[in-house]
Amino acid sequence: PSTGLADLYRVTMHHSSGINILPACTLKRLEQTGNGTTELTGALIVGSSTRSAGAAAIDDLKVSAGKLDVGSSGDSITCTNDILINGGHLDADASSSDGNITAQSITLSGGTFDAPSHGTVTTTAQNVGGWCFYQSGGTFNANAGTLKVDFGAAGAGHFNFHQPHNLTIEMYNDTSSTVYRDYTGNTVTITGDLTIVEGFFKGDNSTDTLTVEGNVSIQDGGTLNQLSDTRAVNLGSITISDGGTYNATSGLTTITSRTSGGYSWYAPNAGSIFNHNNGTVKVTLEDWGGADETYWHGTGWYNLEMALNSASRELRFDDVSGGGLTVYNNFTLSEGRFRFNAGGDSVTVYGLTKMSGGQYGNTGTAPSGTHNYLGGITMIGGAWQTTSGTLNTSGLIIRGGTFA
């Protein structure tokens, strides 16, 4: 084949066995229907006129049987419209370097889709059903690559691919949204990092748990979840940039790890928006296998719980612009060490402060700021180093541990 095939309406690869080579070319439509293998040895461009966003899918590339293999030289696939995999195998995970795939939407209803380990699979518009990545069957192997939703116009795209690795959301504007749904098991799991560059990334079903095993980065114009969110949320770590927003669940947000730079929670600016939604944020570090220390930079939690997975683990608190530590309801410490990176930081807890284990203020710079525990303090265990400044509390109950 050559670029002369661009004038043909459809090219069908229907060989029953063996390998056919497809060099760099431009086609109007390509279908893999035979049981053999078609191997790309150059960039493939498929499609003609572009459909409107939200219109019925036009399957420029269709894989129904056999294998369409991107080869091993970093070859890319660019579709003007849509990709349908309803059988066979689209193998974009090359053995050495692999390229990128771009389409308006991708539907996987059967067969296997192996995503590139080093490249990016990008969708640019929703189809008539509202989907940009839609899986109703088949097998999706994310490998170590990235899926990206990158809309060039306002709108909402629905996403349910099973266990992507890295996921990037870059909508047309900050009010456009990608709506995630579970493929199975009432859990949406991202096995790598979630990056929200622009727009909302929000759930469709409040019973679905959202789990991001890597790092979450919310950039200026990006928003994670809706204000009314109630689901369980598990994040490796979270970074909220100036202009980014995390609308927390009214249930439980669990932070299980940290970034390579040392942060589990990083919201360093007044413009880093955290809407607590009367929910609980709990830090455990259970998925972190490196150094014992992690930094916790922010303020304004409703319920905050430190339950680190080891007594030697340490949470180092940094406030925002001298604002101190503010917890609007309950503050609970059960394991690990809570350290003030600046001893003069103030503390205001409006609900109950309860300590059953671990250490508070015992490491690093001794606390010296004004500490207000307005709902009282209950000590069951652990070791508490009191501030050398002023400590105000509505009540103190010591049933165990050390308070000094």
Side-chain angles (χ1 to χ4, degrees):
S2 68
T3 53
L5 291 174
D7 293 330
L8 297 178
Y9 178 72
R10 177 188 293 123
V11 173
T12 300
M13 308 302 290
H14 195 62
H15 50 296
S16 60
S17 63
I19 299 175
N20 278 356
I21 302 299
L22 188 64
C25 60
T26 299
L27 311 173
K28 288 185 177 179
R29 190 167 295 183
L30 176 65
E31 295 186 7
Q32 171 73 33
T33 61
N35 291 325
T37 296
T38 300
E39 183 175 321
L40 305 182
T41 59
L44 172 66
I45 301 173
V46 189
S48 52
S49 58
T50 304
R51 67 165 175 82
S52 301
I58 300 174
D59 299 324
D60 290 336
L61 176 61
K62 182 178 179 180
V63 179
S64 301
K67 178 190 284 190
L68 179 61
D69 193 338
V70 299
S72 59
S73 57
D75 303 320
S76 61
I77 298 175
T78 303
C79 288
T80 303
N81 295 295
D82 308 281
I83 296 175
L84 170 63
I85 307 159
N86 60 6
H89 187 185
L90 175 55
D91 187 359
D93 185 29
S95 57
S96 54
S97 61
D98 43 25
N100 302 317
I101 296 176
T102 301
Q104 290 210 50
S105 73
I106 300 177
T107 296
L108 174 62
S109 60
T112 300
F113 178 22
D114 267 302
S117 291
H118 309 96
T120 301
V121 179
T122 302
T123 59
T124 60
Q126 73 276 27
N127 60 27
V128 68
W131 293 96
C132 52
F133 284 97
Y134 179 50
Q135 183 176 1
S136 62
T139 300
F140 174 65
N141 296 318
N143 299 308
T146 299
L147 300 186
K148 183 177 184 180
V149 181
D150 188 2
F151 278 21
H158 290 256
F159 176 100
N160 80 331
F161 264 38
H162 185 51
Q163 295 190 352
H165 185 61
N166 297 320
L167 178 62
T168 299
I169 306 300
E170 189 167 0
M171 304 303 289
Y172 176 72
N173 54 30
D174 60 6
T175 60
S176 297
S177 59
T178 298
V179 182
Y180 59 84
R181 301 184 188 179
D182 71 302
Y183 173 65
T184 184
N186 297 114
T187 299
V188 176
T189 299
I190 298 167
T191 62
D193 298 335
L194 170 63
T195 303
I196 307 174
V197 179
E198 188 81 13
F200 279 79
F201 185 64
K202 62 183 184 180
D204 184 60
N205 189 334
S206 63
T207 63
D208 288 343
T209 296
L210 173 65
T211 296
V212 181
E213 296 178 0
N215 307 311
V216 175
S217 175
I218 308 172
Q219 300 179 15
D220 183 11
T223 300
L224 175 59
N225 286 336
Q226 304 176 84
L227 275 171
S228 58
D229 205 76
T230 60
R231 77 193 66 248
V233 176
N234 306 303
L235 311 176
S237 70
I238 186 167
T239 297
I240 310 171
S241 298
D242 192 1
T245 301
Y246 173 40
N247 292 321
T249 172
S250 60
L252 177 63
T253 299
T254 303
I255 307 297
T256 64
S257 189
R258 49 163 265 189
T259 66
S260 59
Y263 284 90
S264 290
W265 187 286
Y266 187 64
N269 304 297
S272 303
I273 301 170
F274 168 59
N275 294 316
H276 61 66
N277 199 21
N278 294 347
T280 298
V281 173
K282 178 180 181 179
V283 55
T284 67
L285 288 188
E286 62 195 81
D287 294 330
W288 174 250
D292 282 334
E293 300 81 16
T294 188
Y295 288 89
W296 194 260
H297 195 163
T299 193
W301 297 275
Y302 187 71
N303 295 315
L304 178 62
E305 181 175 352
M306 185 184 76
L308 305 185
N309 66 332
S310 168
S312 62
R313 290 270 161 108
E314 183 171 274
L315 187 150
R316 298 180 175 181
F317 173 73
D318 279 327
D319 70 357
V320 178
S321 302
L325 171 64
T326 301
V327 180
Y328 291 110
N329 197 38
N330 298 330
F331 183 29
T332 304
L333 304 103
S334 60
E335 186 63 283
R337 305 188 309 229
F338 188 100
R339 167 178 169 170
F340 293 95
N341 239 24
D345 284 345
S346 62
V347 175
T348 302
V349 180
Y350 289 90
L352 174 66
T353 300
K354 181 179 179 181
M355 188 172 189
S356 60
Q359 300 179 50
Y360 182 60
N362 293 69
T363 59
T365 306
S368 59
T370 299
H371 289 194
N372 301 301
Y373 304 98
L374 305 181
I377 300 170
T378 296
M379 284 281 297
I380 299 173
W384 182 306
Q385 174 65 54
T386 59
T387 177
S388 60
T390 300
L391 189 152
N392 300 306
T393 181
S394 62
L396 175 60
I397 298 173
I398 300 178
R399 295 175 178 162
T402 303
F403 187 85

